[in-house]
């Protein structure tokens, strides 16, 4: 790779901006595009809510798995590794269907068998099942990112913090995490953008996100080209915006130099 490649003028962004401007003109002039956009816009909030909620949950579970995988206890390390390998080996769409129609009913059947207040399966919204499945799936990927970031911190710094009397929590908060953040931020950003795209899979459960509303609109108006053009462009607008913001953040962190 050439060293000046990162300083090239972003012609690709100009092309995307021109395409976005062309779409805006079509929406303003063509009532078909305007109606399609009005329909799809109702799913933007659901897509964002699913993405943010699932990613935050996956971060919490992923951090716990990373800590477990670095534990001194063999059974914790093996349990974390088992979880990561299983979840990474199952397609997300299969996991969505399994959680929604197999795991949730099984868990509720066990709950009801214990004589606790009865909960019907239909009482659990499909969107909640979808978010739970995405959390389970992405926690495995984020756990590996967390683990790599923690291992990137020099062992000597952790030993020096221990010699100063810092407990495990203070060592993590003051020494490990600030340095690990520089390592994990780029792959974290990539996974967040991937989560935006994978959130479209919740449409297989009938959740009214952008993709599901696009399928419903296309089946009613039979304007498949226009409808799926708008679906693709909405996702593209979100992912490109996120990618540019994350790239700027990474650049700022690099300019600050390595942690001392």
């Amino acid at each position: 790779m050439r060293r000046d490649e990162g300083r090239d003028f972003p012609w690709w962004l100009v092309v995307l901006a021109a395409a976005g401007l062309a779409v805006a003109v079509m929406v303003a002039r063509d009532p078909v595009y305007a109606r399609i956009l009005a329909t799809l816009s109702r799913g933007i909030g659901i897509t964002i809510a699913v993405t943010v909620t699932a990613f935050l949950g996956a971060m919490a579970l992923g951090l716990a798995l990373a800590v477990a995988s670095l534990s001194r206890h063999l059974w914790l390390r093996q349990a974390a590794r088992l979880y990561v390998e299983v979840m990474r080996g199952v397609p997300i769409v299969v996991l969505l269907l399994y959680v929604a129609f197999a795991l949730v009913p099984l868990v509720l059947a066990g709950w009801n068998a214990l004589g606790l207040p009865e909960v019907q399966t239909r009482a659990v919204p499909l969107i909640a099942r979808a978010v739970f499945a995405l959390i389970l799936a992405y926690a495995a990927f984020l756990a590996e990112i967390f683990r790599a970031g923690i291992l990137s911190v020099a062992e000597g710094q952790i030993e020096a913090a221990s010699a100063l009397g810092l407990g495990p929590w203070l060592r993590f908060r003051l020494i490990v995490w600030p340095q690990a953040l520089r390592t994990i931020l780029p792959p974290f950003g990539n996974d967040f953008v991937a989560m935006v795209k994978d959130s479209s899979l919740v449409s297989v459960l009938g959740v009214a996100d952008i993709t599901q509303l696009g399928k419903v609109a296309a089946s009613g108006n039979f304007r498949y080209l226009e409808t799926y053009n708008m679906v693709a462009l909405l996702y593209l607008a979100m992912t490109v915006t996120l990618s540019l913001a994350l790239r700027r953040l990474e650049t700022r962190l690099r300019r600050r130099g390595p942690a001392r």
Side-chain angles (χ1 to χ4, degrees):
M1 184 181 71
R2 293 172 50 193
R3 284 183 171 272
D4 61 346
E5 183 177 345
R7 295 192 293 271
D8 287 346
F9 186 81
W11 290 109
W12 63 272
L13 187 57
V14 174
V15 172
L16 288 179
L21 181 61
V23 171
V25 171
M26 285 190 293
V27 169
R29 299 181 59 179
D30 190 336
V32 173
Y33 271 102
R35 287 195 298 270
I36 293 171
L37 180 60
T39 299
L40 298 182
S41 63
R42 297 198 297 268
I44 295 176
I46 295 295
T47 295
I48 294 175
V50 167
T51 300
V52 173
T53 304
F55 199 76
L56 290 175
M59 284 179 60
L61 181 55
L63 180 58
L65 288 167
V67 172
S69 67
L70 298 173
S71 171
R72 292 174 295 179
H73 302 289
L74 176 62
W75 69 273
L76 270 178
R77 296 198 304 271
Q78 292 299 312
R81 176 52 54 188
L82 175 64
Y83 179 94
V84 169
E85 294 301 330
V86 169
M87 290 301 168
R88 290 173 64 183
V90 177
I92 295 179
V93 66
V94 174
L95 186 61
L96 277 165
L97 295 171
Y98 183 85
V99 168
F101 301 117
L103 184 61
V104 169
L106 180 64
V107 170
L108 292 181
W111 172 277
N112 296 332
L114 294 175
L116 299 169
E118 186 173 356
V119 179
Q120 297 295 326
T121 302
R122 61 177 176 270
V124 181
L126 286 173
I127 188 171
R129 306 184 204 186
V131 168
F132 183 57
L134 288 175
I135 289 173
L136 294 180
Y138 267 80
F141 298 102
L142 297 185
E144 291 296 277
I145 296 174
F146 274 124
R147 187 172 68 88
I150 293 171
L151 290 175
S152 70
V153 179
E155 187 68 25
Q157 297 195 34
I158 300 175
E159 293 174 356
S162 300
L164 291 174
L166 296 181
W169 166 243
L170 284 177
R171 289 200 303 270
F172 180 81
R173 185 169 66 88
L174 300 177
I175 306 299
V176 176
W177 178 250
Q179 297 182 65
L181 181 61
R182 296 175 184 273
T183 302
I184 69 177
L185 185 60
F188 248 63
N190 292 338
D191 273 15
F192 187 66
V193 172
M195 175 74 86
V196 174
K197 295 184 290 184
D198 283 342
S199 69
S200 63
L201 295 174
V202 305
S203 63
V204 302
L205 302 182
V207 177
D209 70 329
I210 295 172
T211 303
Q212 175 65 13
L213 292 179
K215 290 193 294 186
V216 172
S219 64
N221 59 24
F222 300 103
R223 305 295 291 265
Y224 294 98
L225 178 63
E226 294 88 344
T227 300
Y228 288 115
N229 276 344
M230 291 302 304
V231 170
L233 287 169
L234 283 175
Y235 280 108
L236 188 61
M238 289 189 290
T239 55
V240 169
T241 301
L242 277 172
S243 296
L244 291 174
L246 290 166
R247 189 174 301 176
R248 178 174 290 273
L249 179 58
E250 292 169 21
T251 301
R252 290 182 61 182
L253 288 175
R254 282 199 303 268
R255 286 174 179 173
R256 289 181 183 179
R260 291 180 173 85

